[in-house]
Structures are given as structure tokens and as C-alpha cells.
Amino acid sequence: MEVAPLVDSEEFINVMFFGDPGSGKTSAAASMAHTGKVLVINLESGVNRRSLMAQGIPVDNIVVTKQLKT
């Protein structure tokens, strides 16, 4: 069985964060932008670009969908 390092993989990693408002879900998801492009599907109040930039997160690697209607 051949094992390739994750860095050589072209597969996507799917993650869903669930929790109370203000618990850091968006910041945690956005911090993955340090590794490359991240798609954020916005189901709450949005993504604050300035706040993420202040945390040193590369916001150019984050693609945000418009809020989905429920």
C-alpha cells in the first residue's frame, strides 16, 4: 500500500463548525486560509474582513458565499 503525504493530495477537506454565536467558529474556519484557499458558506451574520486581517489571516485566500436564505 502506497502512502502519499497530505501535502501531495489534491482532495478537499470538508469541515463543519457548529456552536453558539461568538464561540470562534468563523475565526477557526478562516484560520485555515494559512494553508490555501478556503470556501466559507455563510449561514450566520457574516465574515468581518478587518477582524480576520487583525488576526493575521490571509483574507485573500477566503471565498465567502452570500448568506443562504432559510
Side-chain angles (χ1 to χ4, degrees):
M1 177 171 132
E2 184 178 339
V3 178
L6 184 60
V7 80
D8 294 338
S9 175
E10 292 187 24
E11 295 181 23
F12 294 98
I13 299 172
N14 298 310
V15 179
M16 182 176 95
F17 289 92
F18 178 82
D20 293 327
S23 62
K25 300 178 300 289
T26 301
S27 294
S31 70
M32 290 186 274
H34 289 290
T35 63
K37 291 283 186 185
V38 174
L39 171 64
V40 174
I41 300 174
N42 181 26
L43 298 175
E44 289 186 350
S45 61
V47 177
N48 187 315
R49 181 180 179 90
R50 279 192 209 141
S51 174
L52 295 176
M53 288 175 65
Q55 296 176 53
I57 294 173
V59 294
D60 292 337
N61 281 349
I62 301 173
V63 178
V64 180
T65 64
K66 294 181 180 178
Q67 187 167 357
L68 301 174
K69 295 184 181 189
T70 56

